[in-house]
Amino acid sequence: MNEDSLLSGQQVPSELLASGNGPAPANGAAVPIVDAPTSTVAPAHPDDASRMVEDVLQSDIGVSALLNRLKQSIASAKDFAVFLGKRSALEEAHALGLRKLCKTTHETIRRPDNRQGSYAQQLEEVIRIHERMVENGHGFSLSLHQMHEDLLELATNMERGRKHWKQTGINAEKRVQETELLMEKAKSKYDSLAEDYDRARTGDRQSGKIFGLKGPKSAAQHEEDLHRKLQAADVDYSSKVKSANIQRQELLSTLRPQAIKALQDLISECDSGLTLQLQKFGTSDILGLHVTCLTGSQLASFNEKLLLNNGLTISPINTSTGPNPESRSLRDAVYLVDNELDLKNYIMSFSSKVQPKAAEIKYERHPSLIPHQQTPPPAHRQSQPSLSQPPPTFPMQVPPQQTPPGIQSYVPQTPPVAQPPMGGEFGPPGQPVSAMQRQYSPVNMPGPPQLSTPTQFAPMSLEQPQTSPSPPTHIVASSSFSADLPPLRPVFGESLQTLFERDGSAVPMIVYQCIQAVDLYGLEVEGIYRLSGTNSHVQKIRAMFDNDSSKVDFRNPEDFFHDVNSVTSVLKQFFRDLPDPLLTTAHYSEFTAAARVDDDIVRRDSLHALINDLPDANYATLRALALHLYRVQERSSVNRMNSGNLAICLGPNIADAGFQVRVIETILQNTFQIFDDD
């Protein structure tokens, strides 16, 4: 049985539920999968609720409210995508661990010192059952990962649509607001000129002469001047009113409904996609546990009881007719999500913030311009304040400026006063870099202090000055050195975590010694890390490290045959032979996504966050390597190896193909923003 058959309405055999609390159907009848219940929750007054929703959407805050709601839907989709990704990783790790256990147990069953006969036969059957469970878990993990990718793609598309309609809708609202503001200014100018003209025409003017550019003006000239200005202001005011009415009508009839409809469609699409993945997740869980119960029927009673209890937790048997939340299955709970009701209740929460509807914009002719036979005497005009009152204003509520998501503020910090020894870059052997040291460095932090001399690279135990060669307590290379030393403590082909647990050093000794050799003797060698060493030297150096890396000391160039290019070749081979790359296979998709970002700052911050999530051994090793390569590129004027050349030469050795060059180049260009310089 697979997920498609369950979703298509096929029936689950009754044996899956036969050992539960409820009775199994008679005659081996199949138990039908019950359709998901539909939500019966509805507002008390549907008509009032619909009216309130419509009032909010058609008001000045409708676009802003839907933009906020779409932002919530996108955030929910991203959160659930993260949950699915982590759940997929857990399921995959569980399946891999169970497969490894089955393989190990199968190899030990037929040993002569173990019991044979029926015990061995039945134990092999148990192992085969577990192997089928592994396949079920692996398929479930792949399904979860695909759902994770689908949700992330959906969230990206929704963010793109939200950005477009945010700009379109808000700009339309602002244009109407600006047009009405110009209309108000024209109205004020019109009213002021009309009052001045009225006073000049009725003889009610201030004492004193009126002067113009050509001397004093007579009353008739002043009145004619005001009349001409009033006519121009009247035309301007009338045109502004007409323009404001056109803009508002276009907003109410076309632009705002378009934005509202588009945002509602985006919200519906995002919510429907999220709900679909929720339903698939609930069904996948039920399917996986049902199959597990079926294949585990031949196990011992304890395993059978554990698996059956887990299955009943996800899909309990309904033994009562009344609604009991504890007897509701995961699928039933997911189907109770009502997207339309949630959206309606959210919009209704804004009903108290809706502004009163603006009065209709009308052209009001000033009383002084009314024909004489209809003009009331001045004494009566004073008793009609309503004619001189300003028209009602039209408030436009502009949504507050919001900081775009994902943009973080950096607080400048004071750089360290002195540069500690190189050993502090990744700690002395046995001490990994703690998670507290993996913090974001400020963007505007001044350039970090550099290591002035190569001798600062040595750890504290090796910092004592040497005036003569050390006693021969380590492996001394010579031209007659054999590459056939037994691999007593191999390092090539071992994982960083294995070396960390075995040797007690977060940075493997081979990485430490090779970096030390290049820092002392190779920073000014042209083509360092690009040129290959002598193959015989490379093989002998590999044998030295595989024999016992703790006895190797590259402070003496004789130990690596005075061939620093062979040292870099060995270091690249070590990273290339790691079972899991330095940047880990688990983070492959995340590093790939971060490398595709075009914005330099966003790409740097994304890589910074991913590097902080690496295991301690990987983080410490990458930190030591990045700081070393930074010192190499500082001498690029001599060695001709800048950050781009180093990324091309080393990228394929420390990360999977497809993104390694851009990732390494970004790290080298932002070394002291990603890693602490102490």
Side-chain angles (χ1 to χ4, degrees):
M1 179 182 296
N2 54 26
E3 181 178 351
D4 294 334
S5 64
L6 180 60
L7 292 175
S8 61
Q10 293 187 10
Q11 296 175 330
V12 178
S14 60
E15 290 82 0
L16 295 178
L17 304 176
S19 56
N21 296 328
N27 301 326
V31 180
I33 298 297
V34 182
D35 291 337
T38 57
S39 175
T40 58
V41 181
H45 303 286
D47 295 338
D48 294 342
S50 300
R51 179 176 49 80
M52 292 171 63
V53 169
E54 189 65 23
D55 290 343
V56 173
L57 294 180
Q58 297 304 324
S59 67
D60 296 338
I61 64 174
V63 175
S64 177
L66 289 182
L67 285 172
N68 290 334
R69 178 59 172 77
L70 180 56
K71 184 178 180 181
Q72 292 178 355
S73 296
I74 295 173
S76 299
K78 288 183 176 179
D79 291 341
F80 190 60
V82 171
F83 167 77
L84 290 177
K86 293 183 177 179
R87 176 69 186 276
S88 173
L90 289 175
E91 294 293 339
E92 181 66 18
H94 176 266
L96 292 177
L98 189 56
R99 177 182 283 120
K100 185 176 181 180
L101 176 62
C102 292
K103 181 179 179 181
T104 304
T105 307
H106 186 76
E107 292 174 353
T108 59
I109 289 176
R110 291 301 180 179
R111 287 183 180 176
D113 54 347
N114 285 345
R115 177 181 170 184
Q116 302 300 318
S118 61
Y119 166 77
Q121 295 176 358
Q122 297 306 317
L123 189 55
E124 286 182 347
E125 180 65 23
V126 170
I127 297 303
R128 283 194 292 272
I129 292 173
H130 276 76
E131 288 174 349
R132 291 197 295 271
M133 294 168 61
V134 168
E135 296 302 323
N136 294 334
H138 181 67
F140 182 50
S141 173
L142 293 178
S143 299
L144 292 182
H145 183 73
Q146 184 60 44
M147 293 162 62
H148 162 78
E149 295 290 341
D150 293 344
L151 273 182
L152 289 182
E153 182 179 359
L154 174 66
T156 301
N157 294 335
M158 293 301 103
E159 283 182 333
R160 190 181 300 112
R162 180 181 182 273
K163 182 178 180 181
H164 168 73
W165 285 107
K166 178 181 180 181
Q167 183 178 4
T168 303
I170 297 302
N171 286 345
E173 300 282 351
K174 286 183 177 179
R175 284 198 300 271
V176 173
Q177 183 184 17
E178 292 171 357
T179 305
E180 293 182 353
L181 182 60
L182 293 176
M183 184 270 296
E184 289 295 331
K185 291 182 179 179
K187 176 68 165 55
S188 299
K189 181 179 179 181
Y190 168 73
D191 288 341
S192 177
L193 288 174
E195 291 175 0
D196 291 344
Y197 175 71
D198 184 46
R199 284 196 298 267
R201 191 179 59 176
T202 59
D204 183 13
R205 57 179 179 269
Q206 297 179 352
S207 61
K209 295 182 179 180
I210 301 174
F211 290 89
L213 295 176
K214 298 181 180 180
K217 287 185 178 181
S218 64
Q221 290 175 338
H222 180 58
E223 181 178 348
E224 182 181 358
D225 234 358
L226 289 176
H227 185 263
R228 185 174 60 256
K229 293 180 180 179
L230 180 60
Q231 287 179 336
D234 179 63
V235 173
D236 183 59
Y237 171 45
S238 177
S239 64
K240 291 292 193 302
V241 170
K242 184 181 298 184
S243 176
N245 276 324
I246 293 174
Q247 291 282 357
R248 174 169 283 276
Q249 184 63 27
E250 183 182 10
L251 175 67
L252 296 179
S253 62
T254 305
L255 299 180
R256 184 182 289 171
Q258 284 180 353
I260 293 295
K261 180 66 168 58
L263 289 173
Q264 285 180 315
D265 291 343
L266 289 176
I267 292 173
S268 177
E269 181 180 355
C270 186
D271 291 347
S272 299
L274 178 58
T275 303
L276 175 63
Q277 299 300 340
L278 274 170
Q279 293 172 355
K280 289 171 62 178
F281 175 70
T283 306
S284 299
D285 262 357
I286 295 172
L287 176 63
L289 286 171
H290 278 170
V291 174
T292 301
C293 291
L294 180 62
T295 57
S297 60
Q298 303 178 34
L299 296 177
S301 60
F302 288 105
N303 286 330
E304 189 173 281
K305 183 181 298 183
L306 174 63
L307 295 175
L308 182 59
N309 288 339
N310 287 337
L312 292 176
T313 300
I314 299 298
S315 181
I317 300 175
N318 295 323
T319 57
S320 58
T321 57
N324 184 9
E326 294 183 357
S327 63
R328 184 181 300 152
S329 69
L330 178 61
R331 187 182 63 167
D332 294 339
V334 169
Y335 272 96
L336 287 178
V337 177
D338 192 332
N339 293 330
E340 295 182 2
L341 180 61
D342 292 346
L343 178 59
K344 186 178 295 185
N345 290 337
Y346 174 83
I347 296 176
M348 288 170 56
S349 65
F350 287 87
S351 60
S352 60
K353 301 180 182 179
V354 177
Q355 300 291 339
K357 290 186 177 180
E360 182 181 359
I361 302 176
K362 296 181 179 179
Y363 172 75
E364 298 178 4
R365 189 173 180 85
H366 195 273
S368 61
L369 301 180
I370 301 176
H372 181 69
Q373 60 272 17
Q374 297 181 4
T375 304
H380 292 286
R381 285 202 299 269
Q382 300 298 328
S383 64
Q384 297 178 2
S386 60
L387 297 178
S388 60
Q389 290 179 353
T393 59
F394 302 93
M396 300 293 292
Q397 182 172 350
V398 182
Q401 299 294 333
Q402 298 180 354
T403 303
I407 303 300
Q408 300 179 352
S409 301
Y410 292 90
V411 181
Q413 300 177 1
T414 305
V417 176
Q419 176 73 11
M422 184 61 190
E425 292 179 358
F426 46 83
Q431 295 184 7
V433 179
S434 64
M436 293 299 294
Q437 294 174 338
R438 309 184 190 183
Q439 301 296 330
Y440 284 93
S441 302
V443 176
N444 56 354
M445 188 176 76
Q450 306 300 327
L451 297 177
S452 58
T453 60
T455 56
Q456 287 181 329
F457 180 84
M460 296 181 64
S461 60
L462 301 175
E463 280 183 350
Q464 298 179 359
Q466 299 288 337
T467 57
S468 60
S470 302
T473 58
H474 57 274
I475 297 177
V476 179
S478 65
S479 59
S480 61
F481 178 77
S482 174
D484 297 330
L485 281 176
L488 302 179
R489 297 170 64 84
V491 295
F492 287 89
E494 300 290 336
S495 67
L496 294 175
Q497 185 64 28
T498 301
L499 295 177
F500 181 22
E501 295 172 354
R502 186 190 71 187
D503 300 335
S505 175
V507 179
M509 187 55 66
I510 182 174
V511 177
Y512 172 79
Q513 291 294 342
C514 291
I515 290 177
Q516 180 177 235
V518 177
D519 274 345
L520 290 173
Y521 306 104
L523 291 181
E524 296 185 355
V525 174
E526 183 173 349
I528 190 71
Y529 282 108
R530 177 172 56 84
L531 300 178
S532 302
T534 305
N535 185 58
S536 60
H537 293 169
V538 172
Q539 296 303 321
K540 292 177 182 180
I541 295 174
R542 281 179 59 112
M544 291 164 57
F545 281 110
D546 272 338
N547 179 261
D548 192 349
S549 59
S550 63
K551 296 180 180 179
V552 179
D553 187 359
F554 277 173
R555 289 179 297 175
N556 183 2
E558 295 180 358
D559 286 5
F560 53 86
F561 314 100
H562 296 275
D563 185 3
V564 72
N565 287 326
S566 295
V567 174
T568 59
S569 296
V570 169
L571 183 60
K572 289 191 290 185
Q573 286 186 15
F574 169 75
F575 285 119
R576 187 165 58 247
D577 292 348
L578 287 176
D580 192 25
L582 181 59
L583 298 183
T584 72
T585 304
H587 291 79
Y588 172 80
S589 59
E590 296 169 329
F591 274 108
T592 302
R596 292 173 179 169
V597 176
D598 293 330
D599 187 89
D600 295 338
I601 303 300
V602 176
R603 183 171 68 255
R604 181 201 64 195
D605 293 344
S606 301
L607 291 176
H608 190 173
L610 293 174
I611 291 172
N612 283 345
D613 288 338
L614 292 175
D616 287 345
N618 296 64
Y619 178 86
T621 304
L622 177 61
R623 182 175 182 272
L625 180 63
L627 294 173
H628 163 66
L629 295 179
Y630 184 86
R631 293 190 293 274
V632 174
Q633 73 173 354
E634 281 187 321
R635 307 288 184 90
S636 60
S637 60
V638 179
N639 57 38
R640 307 298 182 186
M641 296 298 291
N642 55 25
S643 60
N645 294 336
L646 290 172
I648 293 174
C649 295
L650 283 168
N653 299 287
I654 65 178
D656 289 332
F659 70 97
Q660 67 272 16
V661 174
R662 196 171 190 185
V663 170
I664 302 305
E665 186 174 6
T666 303
I667 293 174
L668 295 182
Q669 291 173 351
N670 302 274
T671 302
F672 291 95
Q673 280 74 36
I674 295 178
F675 300 103
D676 296 334
D677 58 347
D678 57 346

